[in-house]
Amino acid sequence: MQGISFRRSSVAGLPAGSGSALPALLLVGLFFIMPVVALLLRSVTDPEPGLQNYATLFGSGTYVRVFLNTFLVASVVTAVTILVAFPVAWMLAIMPPAMGSIVFGIIVLSMWTNLLTRTYAWMVLLQRTGVINRALMGLGIIHEPLPLINNLAGVTIGMVYIMLPFMILPLVGTLRAIDPMTLRAAALCGASPFEAFRRILLPLSLPGVAAGGLMVFVMSLGYFVTPALLGGTSNMMLAEMIAQTVQSLLNWGLGSAAAFVLLVVTMALYAIQLRLVGARRAGGGI
Amino acid sequence: MLLDYERLGWLRVALVGFTAAVAAFLLLPVVFIVLLSFGSSRWLAFPPPGWTLRWYQQLLGDPTWIDAALTSARIAAMAAMLAVIIGLFAAFSLVRGEFRGRQVLRGLLLTPMVLPVVVFAIAIYAFFLRIGLAGTTVGFVIAHTILALPFAIIPITAALEGFDKSIEDAAIVCGASPFQARLRITLPSIRIGIFSAAIFSFLASWDEVVVAIFMASPTLQTLPVKIWGSLRADLSPVVAAASSLLVGLTFCLMIVTALLRRKLSR
């Protein structure tokens, strides 16, 4: 097929084949890049030129606490998600397909269910008089209702729930790609199951764990809805603080500065993520 | 033996048990909310003292809920349509283009999926306030199209990468114009990708909360904004009814998707 070339001569000096991306590029440039850049400029110009917004942000105990809490929540959520997701992904990778497809179905149903619906369900389940507290009291495990909402516990449960599919689905791929023979060989050579796990299965699946974990961490850092509804006022996260600063306090300068911090951290971690999985597969479980 | 399901021994019992527990954890809120929506307790007590359809009557009898749902559907349909069309054109360039910076362009077009939504939300809100698009349907559709675009581009590029271009070339050799060849040969071949793109970008808009909270006006509210407002006020069981209908919708969408995929891939 060398003889026929359907590459039309480039339009208006554009490189070959790039023309059809123009509408997308225009849309993203005009309504994504430009507004975001304008917002970042606002952080150093509003209310007056200078770095005073950043000085406020890093100088005040309140905001520093928000930063620390954001990292804390994201770290806890990521750790718990990895611990819960790994065994499930492991089973899904080797289970008979008939059983596996039921679990996959449940994962997809929970993932596709409206985010607010899921969060609302957790608000009801976790409240003081909610099912979980009543069940635990009914079983005699506790005598007083546990504080499960408007605190770290609530945010962690709600966020892990949302993040699990994003960790499980890519991990299944990683684990399926591991040759079972390597583990059979380990067993033949006398490795105990624990040793085989520690020295073979875990190291071989580590790239997948790292990539998935990083994605969950990045998503958690900027999460707004679930922390806002399940978290407490004393452990506010960055995204909620940004929204509040702009919407309620109308302090655009400070809100923009905080948004810039979030953007830089997110994009830096995303760049690392791209290195880990390669640009092609970035973007997760679609 | 850790990757041989049949030879896991006692470990299998533990792992299967754990997987079942996690599946139950994932299913719990969805099932629970549907059950509660039929419960008669105003305070969402569980198990409910009785069963009722009252919350559904209240929901369907309240024009503000119906309005919000229709607004959401309208905006999501327009955003999905735009995202799929623009994404389709972009995909051709991303897969077949021969120019430097193709990967950069791809990364750029996928950024809206990675950047925390709250940053984009206040940025576009500030921008739309200035040019008078805040609180308008047009503004909503533009913002949601941006957020939906990556969800359209990913499945379409994947489908296009799996399509053998020589079939299209053959059509051209047989006398079709390049446009005809793409329309009648290539598009039907990548229809599963286009179909997934439509579903994902519709959902991206339909479920979107953060941009919508900023963009909404008293006269223009999407369903998530309406739910958000009710959640902040109180945990009314009417929200449970609305949520259950959304769960039902998701379930239907999953079944339709599975059936269509099976049919299309024949």
Side-chain angles (χ1 to χ4, degrees):
Chain A
M1 285 289 160
Q2 269 300 334
I4 4 170
S5 166
F6 305 109
R7 245 194 293 145
R8 267 167 289 169
S9 55
S10 25
V11 188
L14 288 167
S18 69
S20 67
L22 261 188
L25 200 59
L26 264 177
L27 184 78
V28 170
L30 200 59
F31 294 108
F32 183 75
I33 307 290
M34 211 171 80
V36 170
V37 170
L39 185 78
L40 302 183
L41 285 178
R42 209 163 173 172
S43 73
V44 287
T45 55
D46 193 337
E48 58 196 49
L51 290 173
Q52 72 280 5
N53 286 320
Y54 291 93
T56 314
L57 209 54
F58 292 111
S60 133
T62 323
Y63 297 125
V64 171
R65 215 171 306 130
V66 171
F67 285 129
L68 292 178
N69 186 60
T70 307
F71 273 95
L72 173 75
V73 172
S75 310
V76 173
V77 168
T78 308
V80 176
T81 306
I82 290 175
L83 288 178
V84 176
F86 192 91
V88 178
W90 181 4
M91 272 301 95
L92 280 173
I94 61 173
M95 242 182 197
M99 258 163 95
S101 61
I102 298 174
V103 183
F104 273 118
I106 292 174
I107 292 173
V108 173
L109 177 68
S110 94
M111 197 165 140
W112 280 23
T113 299
N114 184 287
L115 174 66
L116 280 175
T117 298
R118 291 180 276 169
T119 308
Y120 167 68
W122 282 113
M123 287 169 80
V124 177
L125 279 164
L126 295 174
Q127 63 181 329
R128 223 183 123 77
T129 54
V131 180
I132 293 187
N133 266 322
R134 285 190 174 217
L136 290 176
M137 280 164 76
L139 293 171
I141 298 170
I142 52 170
H143 298 289
E144 284 286 300
L146 291 172
L148 292 173
I149 196 171
N150 297 332
N151 56 27
L152 184 62
V155 180
T156 306
I157 295 172
M159 296 270 287
V160 167
Y161 182 82
I162 286 156
M163 297 300 167
L164 269 176
F166 295 100
M167 190 76 215
I168 294 176
L169 296 179
L171 249 187
V172 173
T174 308
L175 287 162
R176 274 197 183 143
I178 298 174
D179 186 355
M181 284 310 268
T182 51
L183 288 144
R184 263 177 236 162
L188 280 180
C189 297
S192 70
F194 175 72
E195 225 175 331
F197 176 78
R198 192 175 64 86
R199 295 183 53 181
I200 299 186
L201 191 62
L202 195 59
L204 282 178
S205 54
L206 215 52
V209 173
L214 204 57
M215 186 161 92
V216 169
F217 187 76
V218 170
M219 282 169 70
S220 306
L221 275 184
Y223 228 71
F224 173 70
V225 171
T226 308
L229 291 174
L230 289 172
T233 41
S234 61
N235 49 17
M236 190 189 275
M237 283 177 74
L238 192 50
E240 195 187 356
M241 182 218 125
I242 294 171
Q244 234 179 49
T245 311
V246 167
Q247 207 169 26
S248 316
L249 308 177
L250 298 176
N251 189 340
W252 281 91
L254 192 63
S256 310
F260 185 54
V261 174
L262 182 57
L263 181 140
V264 169
V265 175
T266 313
M267 287 300 152
L269 291 171
Y270 180 54
I272 299 176
Q273 151 100 5
L274 282 186
R275 278 279 163 86
L276 278 179
V277 293
R280 199 143 281 265
R281 284 197 39 229
I286 298 181
Chain B
M1 304 286 161
L2 292 179
L3 287 178
D4 290 300
Y5 184 72
E6 299 303 330
R7 287 190 260 176
L8 265 176
W10 60 270
L11 203 54
R12 188 170 85 190
V13 181
L15 285 171
V16 168
F18 185 78
T19 304
V22 173
F25 171 70
L26 287 174
L27 205 53
L28 173 73
V30 180
V31 171
F32 175 73
I33 216 67
V34 175
L35 284 179
L36 263 192
S37 70
F38 295 106
S40 61
S41 159
R42 167 74 187 81
W43 310 109
L44 299 158
F46 196 89
W51 303 97
T52 175
L53 286 174
R54 184 154 38 124
W55 314 121
Y56 287 91
Q57 278 167 355
Q58 272 188 29
L59 177 77
L60 299 174
D62 183 343
T64 60
W65 279 101
I66 308 290
D67 261 6
L70 290 177
T71 306
S72 270
R74 205 173 60 228
I75 290 171
M78 287 191 276
M81 208 172 66
L82 279 174
V84 169
I85 294 172
I86 296 173
L88 183 65
F89 278 100
F92 270 97
S93 169
L94 289 174
V95 173
R96 303 216 180 140
E98 293 163 19
F99 53 92
R100 288 169 58 115
R102 207 157 52 109
Q103 285 309 321
V104 177
L105 180 66
R106 186 191 164 88
L108 184 72
L109 295 182
L110 296 187
T111 321
M113 193 162 73
V114 190
L115 189 83
V117 198
V118 75
V119 176
F120 173 63
I122 60 170
I124 195 85
Y125 177 57
F127 185 59
F128 281 174
L129 274 181
R130 199 164 297 172
I131 61 173
L133 280 179
T136 65
T137 306
V138 177
F140 254 112
V141 171
I142 292 176
H144 278 184
T145 305
I146 300 256
L147 289 176
L149 193 60
F151 292 93
I153 288 181
I154 291 173
I156 298 179
T157 45
L160 204 55
E161 272 161 3
F163 169 73
D164 184 359
K165 187 172 180 295
S166 54
I167 303 174
E168 189 183 304
D169 293 344
I172 297 174
V173 171
C174 295
S177 73
F179 176 72
Q180 271 179 325
R182 283 189 182 175
L183 192 68
R184 305 202 26 203
I185 306 291
T186 315
L187 285 193
S189 307
I190 59 169
R191 63 198 168 186
I192 297 183
I194 295 176
F195 173 70
S196 308
I199 299 259
F200 286 134
S201 36
F202 182 88
L203 280 179
S205 164
W206 172 260
D207 279 351
E208 203 287 321
V209 204
V210 186
V211 170
I213 292 172
F214 281 92
M215 205 72 91
S217 74
T219 52
L220 188 71
Q221 270 195 345
T222 60
L223 194 54
V225 177
K226 177 81 183 155
I227 297 179
W228 174 266
S230 320
L231 286 190
R232 290 245 132 164
D234 63 345
L235 293 177
S236 156
V238 177
V239 179
S243 297
S244 305
L245 292 181
L246 287 176
V247 171
L249 191 77
T250 310
F251 203 67
C252 292
L253 211 56
M254 270 177 69
I255 290 172
V256 170
T257 309
L259 289 178
L260 264 177
R261 277 195 179 199
R262 193 169 298 169
K263 198 168 162 233
L264 288 179
S265 55
R266 263 192 208 136

